[in-house]
Amino acid sequence: MRRASVTALMTAACVSTNYLLIGVVNVKFMDLIVFVSGIVFGSIVGATAGILTWLIYGTLNPYGFSLPILAATCAGESLYGVIGGLLGRRTEKNTYEVTGKKLWFMNAKFAIVGFVLTFVYDLFTNIVSGLVAGIPLTVALIGGIPFAIAHEFSNAVFFFFGASPLVRALSRLFSGGSA
Amino acid sequence: MNGNKAWMWVAAALLCTTIAASYAAINYHSQVESYKKNYEALLEDLEGLTILVNIKIDYGNGTVAWYNETRVPLDSTLLTATQIVASVEYSTSEYGAFVNKINGVGEDPDTYWLWSYWDPDKRSWEFGPVGADQWVLHNGDTVSWTYTTF
C-alpha cells in the first residue's frame, strides 16, 4: 500500500513537472525524480514511476503519440529507476548526509551517473525513433544530437544540484525506509 | 580499493567529456555540411539571376583598382555595376548619365571620367559608345573607368 502511494506521488511529481516544462524540449526533472525514487524507495518504485509517467505524458502529449516510441521511452525511463535502486542498495543510508568536500564529490558522481544514463537513454530512444520514422540510423542519431546535448547537460546539472538534497529530503520525509 | 573506485569515477567523468566532445564535434560538422549545402544551392540559384563582370577604375594618378568577378544583377548597366563597387556621383542629360565623381575623385578642370570596354576579338580597349546607364553588361564583360584630361 505504502509502495503504491509513494509510486503515485513520484509519478504525479514527474507528470506535473513534465507539463510545467513542456515548452523546454528535453529539459525535465522527471529523470532526476525517477532516479531518486529508485535510490530512496527501490528499483521497483523508481522503474514503475518512470513507466507510469511516460504512459501518461507520452499519451497526452502535444508533440504526438507513437506506440513504439512510447515503449522505448518507458523502457529507457525505467533504467533511471533501476540504476537508482541498485545504487541505493549498494550505498549506506548515512552516505547522503555528508557535507563539504565529500558532498561536492558525491554530487559530481551523481552528475556523472545522470549524464551517462541520459546518454544511454538518448541513444536507445533515438535508435527506436529512427527505426519508427524509417530514416537511416546515422541521420537519426546525428539529428538527435542537439536535443541529446540539452538533455544530457541539463540532467548532469540537475543531478549535481538536485540528487543529494532530494534523496536526503525524501529519506527524512519517509523515515528513510524502503517502501 | 578506494583508489580503484576513485579512478573508476575519473574514467567515468572522462567518458562523459568524451561523449560531450564527440557530440559537439559531430554536431558542428553536420551543421557545417548543412550550411555548405545551403550556400551552394543559394549560389546556384544566384548564378541564374546574376552575372560576373570585371571593373577597372583608373584614377589617373597612378592608382588603379580592379574589381574582378564582381557579381551584379542580371541586366545591370555599367552605371549600376559601378555603383556596387564604388561611390558614384553623376548627372543625367538627354544623352544619358554623365559620371562626375567616383569615390570622391572628379570635377577637376578639363578632366573627365571616361569609360571603355575590353573587346576580346580586337584585344583592345574601346571607348564606350553610349552613356554608362545605357550600356548593359553581360557575363564576363570587362569595363574600365579612366579619369583623364582632354
Side-chain angles (χ1 to χ4, degrees):
Chain A
M1 190 64 188
R2 187 165 182 251
R3 180 178 283 182
S5 57
V6 162
T7 307
L9 202 67
M10 291 299 120
T11 306
C14 288
V15 171
S16 55
T17 53
N18 272 6
Y19 282 115
L20 194 73
L21 290 168
I22 202 151
V24 193
V25 179
N26 267 13
V27 177
K28 301 278 182 284
F29 292 124
M30 163 177 58
D31 303 337
L32 172 67
I33 297 169
V34 170
F35 178 73
V36 169
S37 303
I39 290 181
V40 180
F41 305 113
S43 289
I44 293 172
V45 172
T48 312
I51 291 167
L52 286 175
T53 301
W54 266 109
L55 284 177
I56 300 165
Y57 182 68
T59 309
L60 302 169
N61 194 301
Y63 296 110
F65 168 79
S66 161
L67 192 63
I69 293 174
L70 179 66
T73 50
C74 283
E77 197 63 44
S78 66
L79 188 72
Y80 289 98
V82 171
I83 299 295
L86 292 176
L87 206 72
R89 218 160 54 177
R90 283 171 56 106
T91 318
E92 296 290 327
K93 291 289 171 198
N94 61 358
T95 307
Y96 304 108
E97 299 295 335
V98 291
T99 53
K101 218 175 176 181
K102 282 187 174 174
L103 178 65
W104 282 98
F105 278 124
M106 190 172 66
N107 288 345
K109 286 178 187 174
F110 275 133
I112 291 168
V113 171
F115 188 97
V116 173
L117 282 177
T118 312
F119 170 72
V120 174
Y121 172 92
D122 285 336
L123 197 66
F124 177 58
T125 51
N126 281 343
I127 288 171
V128 173
S129 300
L131 291 174
V132 169
I135 51 174
L137 281 185
T138 44
V139 175
L141 291 174
I142 291 171
I145 283 178
F147 303 102
I149 288 173
H151 195 194
E152 284 153 32
F153 274 97
S154 65
N155 267 4
V157 172
F158 293 156
F159 275 60
F160 183 89
F161 289 106
S164 58
L166 211 55
V167 168
R168 280 199 299 273
L170 286 175
S171 300
R172 283 175 200 162
L173 200 65
F174 293 90
S175 311
S178 185
Chain B
M1 187 65 189
N2 261 350
N4 280 347
K5 257 189 176 175
W7 281 113
M8 190 196 81
W9 283 109
V10 170
L14 286 173
L15 177 72
C16 292
T17 54
T18 307
I19 291 168
S22 308
Y23 264 3
I26 294 168
N27 191 39
Y28 280 131
H29 178 73
S30 71
Q31 268 184 357
V32 165
E33 286 299 310
S34 152
Y35 288 142
K36 222 158 104 179
K37 212 182 272 179
N38 287 344
Y39 173 74
E40 277 162 10
L42 185 69
L43 212 59
E44 217 167 88
D45 291 343
L46 211 61
E47 271 161 12
L49 301 167
T50 57
I51 53 169
L52 293 175
V53 294
N54 306 309
I55 302 170
K56 176 191 171 190
I57 300 176
D58 183 346
Y59 293 90
N61 58 359
T63 305
V64 179
W66 273 99
Y67 300 92
N68 289 331
E69 299 204 329
T70 302
R71 192 173 287 282
V72 297
L74 211 60
D75 289 334
S76 285
T77 62
L78 172 60
L79 183 67
T80 54
T82 310
Q83 282 174 316
I84 290 171
V85 297
S87 155
V88 181
E89 282 179 35
Y90 67 96
S91 50
T92 45
S93 68
E94 56 187 301
Y95 304 108
F98 183 79
V99 171
N100 301 314
K101 281 185 177 181
I102 293 179
N103 285 334
V105 176
E107 293 184 335
D108 292 320
D110 299 327
T111 316
Y112 305 97
W113 279 106
L114 295 179
W115 75 269
S116 45
Y117 64 93
W118 176 256
D119 189 327
D121 297 326
K122 293 180 185 168
R123 300 192 61 77
S124 64
W125 291 101
E126 302 292 324
F127 279 111
V130 290
D133 60 334
Q134 286 164 26
W135 185 258
V136 178
L137 295 171
H138 300 93
N139 195 39
D141 276 0
T142 301
V143 284
S144 166
W145 283 102
T146 310
Y147 192 55
T148 185
T149 314
F150 272 121

